Amino acid sequence: MTPAPTGARGLRVAFAGTPVFAATALRAMAQAGYEPVLVLTQPDRPAGRGLKLQPSPVKLLALAHGWAVQQPHGLRLDGRWADDAAAARAALQAAQPDVLVVAAYGLILPRWVLQLPRLGCLNIHASLLPRWRGAAPIQRAIEAGDACTGITIMQMDEGLDTGPIVLAEPLAIGPQESAGELHDRLAALGAELIVRALRLAEQGPLPQQPQPAEGVTYAAKVDKAEACLDWREPASVLARKVRAFDPVPGAWGWLDGAPLKVWRARAESQTAQATPGTVLAVDAGGVRVACGEGALVLTELQRAGGRRLPVADFVRGAPLRVGQSLAAPR
């Protein structure tokens, strides 16, 4: 098999990634002259009401540019998807990449992948490592009330986000910023930093700083069940959860026995002698709900099957009344 053509800058770069976060980096790399010699992305998944198979954003970008694509279900040569892994290895070997850039790929890279490129594998991670290693660093940073996060370009090893740091740059988290909004800013920063790292790689050995032993935290994947608001918690905690789980999976309470999505909210320190989850007031400024501490003011809501609406529009079509409970039905 004839190797794919080398990128305009001379460094042979392969890419592994799946969602929009990854596609943002891949597009920036190509614009900087680092067109991929091979793209790895997750297999097409069912989506939408018809559950039709949909290609990932990275695959769509690759197809639009005519880049070679592989979509293995797994990469372990001795696992369930051994045939997929063998095909991916053959494609990578034929492409002869100097480096593999990885961004939100969704598959664990076994040793054979990490060792195949001459310069190894560089990961674009959406936190300042070692804080928030793992699957959901953006959501967990907001949920925890962090004032700052950032992007780390990491030389990958066999651990979970444990490799040495090549580049890192902080990014302040806005006081009302949602995970979706922060995601877009981090994606742009990640794209900028990976291009910078590839340019450094062309000049010589990359800088590598071991991660600090202190400050390690893990960002577990977000489960839909944890997005159900527990009104016994402080309003400040619930406000952070609303931001952290926007747009996926969306924080929610209950209204008339059906889920009620809460997309925007703010915490107030006022106290009330009411059971947590009880509606305290309804007006054009928001729906005030009693919490374990303070009150949460809901300003953007969505009923099942409906649209996201400002609270003033929502209450016209689905009236809420003082004394009503938004807690889970018993």
Side-chain angles (χ1 to χ4, degrees), residues 141-163:
I142 292 176
E143 184 184 18
D146 291 2
C148 183
T149 184
I151 289 288
T152 301
I153 305 297
M154 175 191 66
Q155 186 82 49
M156 296 181 70
D157 60 18
E158 293 187 72
L160 176 63
D161 299 328
T162 55

Side-chain angles (χ1 to χ4, degrees), residues 154-223:
M154 175 191 66
Q155 186 82 49
M156 296 181 70
D157 60 18
E158 293 187 72
L160 176 63
D161 299 328
T162 55
I165 295 168
V166 174
L167 291 172
E169 188 164 320
L171 188 68
I173 300 174
Q176 299 302 322
E177 193 166 24
S178 70
E181 293 163 342
L182 181 58
H183 166 280
D184 292 348
R185 294 203 298 131
L186 284 169
L189 179 59
E192 176 186 329
L193 286 194
I194 193 59
V195 169
R196 193 186 307 173
L198 293 174
R199 287 173 176 161
L200 287 174
E202 288 185 305
Q203 299 168 13
L206 286 168
Q208 295 192 10
Q209 178 70 36
Q211 292 188 33
E214 302 79 24
V216 176
T217 55
Y218 290 92
K221 183 178 179 181
V222 175
D223 184 271

Side-chain angles (χ1 to χ4, degrees), residues 228-238 241 276 290-294:
C228 181
L229 299 174
D230 184 347
W231 302 101
R232 295 170 296 182
E233 292 186 300
S236 57
V237 171
L238 296 180
K241 287 189 175 185
C291 301
E293 293 179 14

Side-chain angles (χ1 to χ4, degrees), residues 16-19 22 40-43 45 58 72-75 102-109 123 134-135 156 221:
T18 299
L40 301 178
T41 191
Q42 286 273 336
R45 304 293 188 194
V58 163
H73 288 82
L75 292 170
V102 183
Y105 178 33
L107 290 180
I108 294 174
L109 302 190
N123 179 249
M156 296 181 70
K221 183 178 179 181

Side-chain angles (χ1 to χ4, degrees), residues 284-297:
V287 176
R288 287 165 176 78
V289 184
C291 301
E293 293 179 14
L296 192 67
V297 183

